[in-house]
Amino acid sequence: MDNPDLLKETTPAKEGSLDSVCIGRARSFAQIFASIAILIAVLVLVGWVLGIDILKRIGPGFPSTKVNSALCFIFTAGALFLGHLTPVRPWKKTCSFVLLAMVMLISGLTLAEFFTGWSFGIDQLFLKDQDAVSTEWPLGRMDGNSAITFLSYALAVLYLFRGKHGTAIAQVLVVAGLLLTLLTVTGFLFGVRIFSSFFSFSGLAVLTQADFILLGLSILCAHPGEGMVSIILADNPGGFVARRLIAPAILTPVFFGWIAKEGLSHGYYDAGFACLLIVLISMVVVCAIAARSVVELNRIEKERQLLSAARFQSDVRERGALEASRLKSEFVANVSHEIRTPMNGVLGMVNLLLGSNLTHEQREQAETIRQSGDALLNLVNEILDFSKIEAGKVQLDEKPFSLVDCADEVFNLLSTTARRNKVNLIFFVSAETPHYFRGDASRLRQVLINLVGNAVKFTDEGEVSLEITSVQHGGVHHQLEFQVADTGIGISPGALPLLFRPFQQVDASATRRHGGTGLGLAISKHLIDLMDGEITVSSILSVGSTFRFKIPLRACPPPSGAETEENLKLPPQSRFLLFAKGGKFPALLKRQIEAWDGEAQVVADPMAVIEMRDTTFAAVLMDNNSETMALAAQMKFDPAWNKIPRVLLDFEESLPPEKASLYPKRLAKPFKRLALHALLLELTGVQKVAKPVSAPASPAPLAQKIPLRILLAEDNHINQKVGLALLKRLGYSADIANNGREALEAVMRDRYDLVLLDIQMPEMDGIEAAQAMREKLKEKCPHLIAVTANVFAGAREEYLSKGFNDYLGKPLLPETLRQTVVRAAESLSSRPPAS
């Protein structure tokens, strides 16, 4: 395991107040200094073994470094390397302790010889024959000051293992050893002579003192993030000044003191002038260094002030951006509410109008209003969705869903537009693709509506197809690929990079034919990215476009009782002839029939059909084109072909009776998948067409089954009418409150089962009214439903947390309101009776 102290020092939290560059350099210097100390000691040993004087000393006239001193250098530096300068392992730590014990043993025995006068033979461990030069290896005894320094260094390395507090003690011991070394060097430089066997200033071994300095600095730099070294390396003015003053403070008196001493020894001046010279020079140097430090500190302070001002400006901009984002979110929410409120009136009244007796022309006009309202509502939803995505508030709601049903819903929504544009619209799910997955079906549906809707919108004639395939990646994980292809106007190569940018449109000119916000594709890409997928596009002008996107989904088993593909198999030997021209429509229709275990043969030439001798088909499916009528007429008068049912696939065009009689059956395009299956079953004789019956009688109003007393709190007069009319259709006669205060007074005065509370109302809003009702009525409080045009992700959960039982978004839809009332009745029936 690595040294915990070493790892701890490398963390940003530990070095947050230190100069990280100095920290890194200090660790590098520790390794370099220790390596040089070991190298010098090894060279000294080689000099003793081979008798090379230059390796034992730095030059003539200097004493040699003793062998036991060289060994202590190697042991101490090696222990430092093993224990602190490399990642620690248990065996390294043990070796480090052994080496330090040997250093303390040698230095301790040396000190004992000095103090007691005894001889332990430490200076003659390897002495073999003192008179024989070839075998002479005189170790000699190290000086007393060297023994003390080695002992302090060994203890310092040991203390480094004790963490932060041990590091402080270790650094103090190292500084003591360095001071003793400095005392020895300065004593030698100034010619100080102490006639003692313990301290020796006159016989200076230069390599020994250099090694002591290097080894001491290496121990100090081993843990630079702690102790006094961390103060020196701190990234602050104190550390900055310390790093510039320590070295001059040590070297200046030594250097100029030695110069003054040399001048005094040569008689250039007397002792008083020498002292004055040392003092003046030291003052000048210290003042110069201090002045330079002050200049640097002023520069640092200016930079700090500039940085502080920049940070302040950045904070101001960030707060401004946050405030702007908040205001934008509020603006979007308000715009959504203000648009949805009148849209609730428009769509609500149109739905009521469509439910009444209208002439064909009136119904067509009302349907146009409804479609225009839906288009406007879709634009609002796109802007809201983009705002949520931009704010990072969109979250996926993963639940089991049917992939085929999801695609069916998309095509059902777009079938009216495709039929109006006479565009073939068909989708196909490959046989190997499971039908049930776990994911966010609503977001996938939104992506498909955007892509298929765009394809239908930009295709004047031809076809739009959706193909879904999958590749299994072990177990239940699948990579689904969706391909939406059209034969529309296409996209120029220069416009392709703009497709997925928000508010960008291929044709943004005033004469453009197709509307839209330019957000649909941007939203689709964001949603696909959110689902860990990717989307690509290829297009050729005037030929068409193909959008492909892939998403990973997890397959899941179908729910009990669900319709599966096995239930849609056609009877054996179900053969169909498909007369259609080129394109993907006949090919995908053929693949779909074959996926149901049927057989389909596609023929594009009418003469080839007439000349066929094989007439064992269950039916002939005839796509409407310029040759279809003539072929149908010929088949009608051909005895062999006339026995086979003919099915016209068209867009419900109006046909004269003589042409309509050519086809016993018709199927309107784009047809639903299950409608096609039901027709094929009927044609094979498995399922007979039910005789048309009169329309079933209208079901009894919901109020007869679930009697409830309802209060509607709404401040908008038009929305009051819509709400009352929708409730009346369910059989309820509701009371009206114009704001939250009136609603509170009404529930305090009369007993209601259900209260529909609009959120934004004057005097008292819906949230305040709901909380007041809860507080005053407690368990007798009616079932409260939040009604708001401010729809957003998580709205239901938020309003439920504020005291509501349920949530309704505007515009109100008849079926949604009905389901909400049913849920309210179930909740009320499960309540314990009020005491």
Side-chain angles (χ1 to χ4, degrees), residues 399-410:
K399 296 178 181 177
F401 73 97
S402 168
L403 180 63
V404 175
D405 290 348
C406 180
D408 261 331
E409 292 171 9
V410 171

Side-chain angles (χ1 to χ4, degrees), residues 575-581 585-586 589-590 593 599-603 609 617-625 628 631 635 641 644-649 663 665-667 671 676 679-680 683:
R575 302 180 65 242
F576 301 92
L577 179 64
L578 176 56
F579 174 71
K581 296 296 185 181
F585 175 73
L589 184 55
K590 179 178 186 295
I593 294 173
E599 182 182 340
Q601 182 176 349
V602 180
V603 180
V609 175
F617 299 101
V620 180
L621 307 179
M622 309 183 72
D623 191 23
N624 194 10
N625 56 55
T628 302
L631 176 60
M635 295 177 75
W641 283 108
I644 303 174
R646 294 178 299 279
V647 181
L648 178 64
L649 309 178
Y663 307 99
K665 300 186 182 301
R666 292 176 68 177
L667 184 62
F671 41 77
L676 173 64
L679 175 64
L680 296 180
L683 293 171

